[in-house]
Amino acid sequence: MSKEKTYLVTGGAGFIGSNYIKFLFETYPEVKVVNLDKLTYAGNPENLKSVENRSGYYFVKGDICDRVLVADVFRKYSPDYVINFAAESHVDRSIGDPDDFIKTDIYGVYSLLENCRKYGIERFVQISTDEVYGSIDKGSFSETDTFNPSSPYAASKTGGDRLAFSYFVTYDLPVVITRASNNYGPNQYPEKLIPLFITNAMDDKKLPLYGDGKNVRDWLYVEDHCKGVEYVLQNGKNGEAYNIAGNCEKQNIEITKKILELTGQSDKLIEYVKDRAGHDRRYSLDDSKIAKLGWQPEYDFEEAMRKTVQWYQENEEWWRKIKSGEYLEYYKEHYGQDL
Ligand code: NAD
Ligand code: TDX
């Protein structure tokens, strides 16, 4: 049914967005996908090398906050679906400088919603996050629980999440919201825990573990997340939010030891460092709502971690370019400006 649809994927050059676009083409070979991405430090056209020349793929370099540019995209491509992955996504950066987070993660969502309202769409999916609920010591959050975001990132994402909901309530816009757990897999920018630690371990560098290393995250393999987003897009109910969990809670020290084991390194690389400010202790999602809808994650943690480590081992060029700063030079050459 979806093969003739046009998807506007924002933030499609980033980690999850690029995996989602590749998943769409594998699932619906005839689909049209417009990728609107600003190409911040986290957006990387190399993530989409395998699809960039195929028919049905269109790339627009631009900022979702630019309402005029977004309007042009709507007029030119008339998307049926809008899936908003575009965001500033790294908690530590939001602690250092929240400015871009407020712009993209709140105003950017508003700009997209206004254009959806004006031009009409079949579905708007706001990719939110488990971080909107904040930390929980015991039990798991369900979709109706109170928001308690801790970082400027999480607070901005909560703003975007609620703005999207308000456009359903006020303007009857067909909005669905997804809130996923921590993702891992290919093409994740090596600032996040798993790719940072894998690539450091491969280079015999220290693995900087925050605080006591016992903070808990629920881990979701990116391919499962992409399928979950698509499932909600096709089967979710307007105005509803859906948690997408991995059902795989681990302390950071457990993740670290698994990475050391898979890269053949020793515990000596672990370095306990100063804790992150406002560091949430534990995230946990109750995913019974999406399970009732008929979706559940398929990957087993051991298998998905092995695949992930193997991807970074086989794609050294991809992450070395980023870590060495060489990607910045490539960017300047291709786009005539500094990143
Ligand atoms: P990412 O940082 O890897 O990618 C973000 C992408 O958005 C990049 O391509 C970037 O260039 C683009 N972008 C940023 N600002 C933009 C703007 N103003 N206009 C257009 N494009 C812009 O992020 P990710 O990890 O792939 O996360 C994608 C989405 O999923 C985000 O909304 C994030 O909040 C959410 N999420 C992520 C996780 C996770 O574990 N990574 C978990 C739950 C939810
Ligand atoms: O160097 C590190 N050392 C460390 O101990 C880094 C980068 C992280 N950590 C800890 C902090 C967290 O407890 O590891 C855990 C995971 O950290 P991140 O990879 O930065 O992810 P997190 O802060 O949990 O947020 C992620 O999941 C929710 C994504 O970055 C968000 O975009 C998503 O919304």
Side-chain angles (χ1 to χ4, degrees), residues 10-18 36-44 47 62-65 84-90 100 103-105 108 126-130 153 157 178-184 187-189 191-192 219 225:
T10 63
F15 162 48
I16 306 172
S18 62
L36 170 60
D37 197 298
K38 184 179 174 183
L39 297 183
T40 65
Y41 77 95
N44 187 341
N47 296 350
D63 189 335
I64 58 165
C65 298
N84 180 31
F85 289 97
E88 287 295 332
S89 70
H90 192 39
D100 282 342
K103 286 180 185 142
T104 295
D105 300 6
Q126 171 60 14
I127 306 296
S128 187
T129 168
D130 60 356
Y153 162 71
K157 289 294 290 184
T178 62
R179 301 187 188 127
S181 300
N182 281 58
N183 280 221
Y184 64 109
N187 295 112
Q188 186 168 30
Y189 197 86
E191 64 186 351
K192 307 279 164 59
W219 293 97
H225 185 197

Side-chain angles (χ1 to χ4, degrees), residues 226-239:
C226 293
K227 287 183 185 166
V229 168
E230 184 59 19
Y231 201 85
V232 171
L233 167 64
Q234 300 299 342
N235 302 292
K237 197 168 155 239
N238 288 337

Side-chain angles (χ1 to χ4, degrees), residues 139-322:
S140 305
F141 286 119
S142 67
E143 290 81 353
T144 48
D145 277 321
T146 312
F147 299 105
N148 208 359
S150 307
S151 67
Y153 162 71
S156 308
K157 289 294 290 184
T158 308
D161 180 315
R162 290 299 81 195
L163 256 180
F165 179 68
S166 79
Y167 271 63
F168 163 72
V169 177
T170 309
Y171 305 112
D172 216 14
L173 196 76
V175 167
V176 285
I177 297 158
T178 62
R179 301 187 188 127
S181 300
N182 281 58
N183 280 221
Y184 64 109
N187 295 112
Q188 186 168 30
Y189 197 86
E191 64 186 351
K192 307 279 164 59
L193 178 76
I194 288 182
L196 177 73
F197 280 19
I198 294 171
T199 55
N200 277 11
M202 284 173 67
D203 276 348
D204 303 319
K205 285 189 183 150
K206 294 281 187 193
L207 312 187
L209 206 44
Y210 298 160
D212 62 3
K214 292 187 178 161
N215 298 63
V216 173
R217 295 293 181 265
D218 173 43
W219 293 97
L220 172 67
Y221 190 58
V222 66
E223 202 178 305
D224 276 334
H225 185 197
C226 293
K227 287 183 185 166
V229 168
E230 184 59 19
Y231 201 85
V232 171
L233 167 64
Q234 300 299 342
N235 302 292
K237 197 168 155 239
N238 288 337
E240 297 288 322
Y242 297 87
N243 290 340
I244 307 184
N247 292 324
C248 176
E249 290 181 32
K250 305 269 179 217
Q251 291 185 344
N252 292 335
I253 182 69
E254 295 176 75
I255 295 287
T256 308
K257 289 197 167 161
K258 176 53 66 184
I259 289 170
L260 290 170
E261 178 200 317
L262 291 172
T263 53
Q265 289 284 14
S266 89
D267 285 11
K268 289 197 185 102
L269 286 187
I270 298 174
E271 183 173 43
Y272 286 91
V273 298
K274 190 169 174 277
D275 208 355
R276 171 186 279 175
H279 195 176
D280 283 330
R281 191 65 175 167
R282 174 172 173 261
Y283 294 142
S284 182
L285 292 176
D286 175 340
D287 71 346
S288 47
K289 188 172 172 181
I290 195 170
K292 267 191 216 126
L293 205 62
W295 180 88
Q296 58 182 30
E298 287 165 20
Y299 272 92
D300 155 73
F301 174 73
E302 292 285 328
E303 181 197 357
M305 273 301 282
R306 264 198 306 277
K307 262 173 91 87
T308 302
V309 170
Q310 195 183 348
W311 189 86
Y312 289 90
Q313 286 168 336
E314 288 171 357
N315 292 275
E316 281 193 43
E317 206 192 331
W318 179 88
W319 59 263
R320 286 200 186 281
K321 263 195 207 165
I322 296 172

